[in-house]
Amino acid sequence: MKYNFDNYLANIPQRSLKFDAIKATKSNDFEKYLSMGVADMSFKPPQEVLNVIKREIETGFLGYYGGIESYKKEVVNWLKTRHNWKAKPEWINTAHGLVAAIGTVLRAFTSETDGVIIFSPVYHSFRKIIKANNRVLIESEMIKKNERYYLDLNNLANKMKGSERILILCSPHNPSGRIWSKNELKDISYFCKNNKLILIIDEIHNDLVYPGKQHTIFPLIGDDFFEDYILMTSTTKTFNLAGGLMGNVIIPNDSLRAKFQKENLATGETPNRFGMILGEEAMKSGHHWLNELINYLKKNRDFFDKEINNLKTLKSMQLDSTYLAWVDFSKTGEAESTNFKKLTYELKIISNPGSSFGSGGYNFFRFNLATSNYLLKRATTRIKTIFK
Ligand SMILES: Cc1ncc(COP(=O)(O)O)c(C=O)c1O
């Protein structure tokens, strides 16, 4: 191992959402808290990435960004080497983060009375951005079978009113780490085609896949029968660069891309210098770091699952992907609000309560496992004291 992931960012930086989450408890005891909510890792990005940004700052030039061609070249290389898909540079647009990009897509392709479908429970910002843009939110609750989620397209078909325009798929899925099979992805594209829906596929977690599991980047299902998709990828989760706020909006279809670009122009955004430089370097030099990270995360996942699933009252879903554990607390017999208080105030663990992920999420809690094994042990030891 060349990289030492035990050498975590020990103190949670004050200018971070993770720190704000601790402050929100109104506790004075910051030191004791384990912040396992916000999906930032506690690891430093690859040293090459830190070196590049240090060098940039030392030049003293902090002006507008240029040179996007070399960034796009790295995106194309990355998609080819890590996902075996050949994208064209002209298909790639950049955005100030994927949530912002979803907002742009909603405004480009829908109007206020139109429906937008999500598969819940799912990443809470989908719901927020749909509502903030005054679009009609349609939640299609997934079915849980043998500790795995499945899409319920039959039920969704029965609910369709004809005013739905967009379906958002999180692939791999956050929370639950579920990887969708090629057949499931095909079913979704048939569904979209039959119902004239544009499909947004958010693949922000697609690099964080555990050994033995296979993620299929959406275009590899074959776009000969379905072209109306917008693929979103990023380096931010992969390399812990979320503060760089950037992401890729990849649209092979010409007319869809033109419509997106027109709306994107209206945001006034141009690429964020720091995010682009961080992302480009990470894709160039981060392969080995990422391979080792995945092995480290796997150990954390296995350890956490073993400890949690030994308890009669809790059940952790096995993650195919992502570092976001999804734990069912329903057998505790307590309400979600009670479990939340126990976790937050008695155990001093910050987590995300499942209700915030929409229908089907009640009394689950999401825990971020991307921290040092040492801190993870502290978390499970604390959890075991109350949830036996
Ligand atoms: C599925 C998913 N999409 C998007 C984001 C955030 O993307 P961004 O920071 O680029 O807006 C997250 C963050 O955790 C996420 O889990």
Side-chain angles (χ1 to χ4, degrees):
M1 287 260 289
K2 182 173 159 202
Y3 302 98
N4 184 1
F5 293 100
D6 284 325
N7 192 5
Y8 55 93
L9 296 168
N11 298 314
I12 296 174
Q14 296 227 359
R15 276 190 234 147
S16 71
L17 264 184
K18 281 189 148 181
F19 193 80
D20 287 353
I22 300 176
K23 270 201 304 200
T25 65
K26 306 234 180 330
S27 160
N28 297 321
D29 207 1
F30 291 153
E31 297 285 300
K32 271 220 175 109
Y33 266 91
L34 302 173
S35 197
M36 300 178 77
V38 180
D40 283 329
M41 300 194 265
S42 326
F43 309 128
K44 285 189 184 181
Q47 191 57 44
E48 293 85 343
V49 175
L50 298 176
N51 292 345
V52 156
I53 203 73
K54 239 189 264 169
R55 275 208 302 278
E56 278 295 317
I57 288 169
E58 278 163 8
T59 65
F61 180 78
L62 305 184
Y64 291 114
Y65 174 71
I68 189 124
E69 298 75 21
S70 68
Y71 172 85
K72 286 190 183 177
K73 197 172 132 229
E74 287 310 324
V75 176
V76 170
N77 284 345
W78 185 263
L79 294 171
K80 182 75 191 94
T81 36
R82 305 289 310 192
H83 297 281
N84 198 28
W85 179 53
K86 207 163 173 337
K88 292 199 176 143
E90 59 267 31
W91 298 345
I92 302 166
N93 308 273
T94 61
H96 286 195
L98 295 192
V99 177
I102 292 173
T104 308
V105 172
L106 296 182
R107 292 188 296 280
F109 296 98
T110 67
S111 49
E112 293 207 352
T113 47
D114 291 340
V116 181
I117 303 163
I118 56 174
F119 294 107
S120 61
V122 73
Y123 175 54
H124 35 60
S125 291
F126 288 177
R127 188 171 298 96
K128 280 191 203 152
I129 197 77
I130 294 167
K131 287 192 170 168
N133 280 284
N134 295 321
R135 270 49 178 179
V136 180
L137 172 72
I138 299 153
E139 288 189 74
S140 173
E141 192 175 321
M142 295 183 292
I143 300 169
K144 189 156 81 67
K145 236 190 298 174
N146 300 329
E147 297 306 317
R148 255 176 113 63
Y149 281 127
Y150 293 86
L151 304 175
D152 194 354
L153 294 180
N154 289 337
N155 187 31
L156 179 59
N158 292 333
K159 285 206 309 202
M160 297 291 281
K161 295 201 171 79
S163 53
E164 301 80 2
R165 296 283 171 268
I166 287 187
L167 188 152
I168 307 178
L169 178 72
C170 192
S171 176
H173 195 82
N174 165 22
S176 85
R178 174 76 150 80
I179 284 176
W180 308 112
S181 69
K182 268 192 178 174
N183 281 341
E184 285 171 315
L185 293 172
K186 278 193 175 159
D187 288 346
I188 291 165
S189 44
Y190 281 123
F191 186 88
C192 289
K193 197 177 167 91
N194 290 340
N195 290 283
K196 298 193 171 51
L197 302 172
I198 291 169
L199 176 60
I200 300 178
I201 312 123
D202 179 337
E203 294 204 17
I204 200 167
H205 296 282
N206 70 4
D207 294 315
L208 297 166
V209 173
Y210 290 108
K213 304 289 174 184
Q214 185 71 45
H215 166 81
T216 304
I217 194 166
F218 183 79
L220 282 190
I221 66 160
D223 52 12
D224 41 343
F225 65 98
F226 181 67
E227 280 196 331
D228 290 342
Y229 68 87
I230 296 176
L231 172 66
M232 300 196 179
T233 67
S234 186
T235 48
T236 52
K237 293 293 134 187
T238 313
F239 292 104
N240 207 21
L241 307 172
L245 265 191
M246 77 304 211
N248 308 313
V249 183
I250 307 173
I251 316 179
N253 178 285
D254 293 339
S255 67
L256 230 56
R257 189 168 65 253
K259 229 172 162 186
F260 170 81
Q261 286 175 341
K262 188 161 178 272
E263 190 62 39
N264 206 27
L265 211 58
T267 65
E269 283 181 13
T270 56
N272 165 2
R273 171 174 204 83
F274 298 102
M276 303 300 285
I277 292 170
L278 291 167
E280 181 175 335
E281 186 58 34
M283 288 182 283
K284 225 182 253 169
S285 55
H287 287 274
H288 189 50
W289 181 93
L290 175 59
N291 296 341
E292 289 199 4
L293 170 80
I294 289 171
N295 288 335
Y296 193 88
L297 290 177
K298 180 181 182 300
K299 275 190 212 148
N300 275 3
R301 179 203 65 177
D302 293 348
F303 168 80
F304 184 83
D305 283 356
K306 189 161 159 266
E307 293 292 298
I308 295 300
N309 292 334
N310 266 339
L311 306 173
K312 285 205 175 73
T313 51
L314 306 186
K315 188 84 199 156
S316 176
M317 235 180 220
Q318 210 194 32
L319 303 173
D320 298 335
S321 156
T322 82
Y323 48 77
L324 302 164
W326 187 235
V327 182
D328 185 355
F329 276 61
S330 59
K331 290 214 171 70
T332 57
E334 301 279 10
E336 182 183 89
S337 55
T338 309
N339 285 327
F340 180 71
K341 281 185 198 139
K342 285 184 180 177
L343 284 163
T344 311
Y345 299 104
E346 289 181 47
L347 301 182
K348 303 209 179 323
I349 294 176
I350 308 282
S351 61
N352 299 117
S355 290
S356 62
F357 296 82
S359 63
Y362 179 80
N363 229 345
F364 277 78
F365 285 82
R366 197 188 74 169
F367 297 90
N368 179 343
L369 308 183
T371 187
S372 73
N373 193 256
Y374 164 75
L375 283 188
L376 198 61
K377 273 186 188 138
R378 277 176 68 185
T380 53
T381 305
R382 287 185 200 179
I383 290 171
K384 282 193 283 188
T385 59
I386 295 191
F387 300 101
K388 292 207 180 91

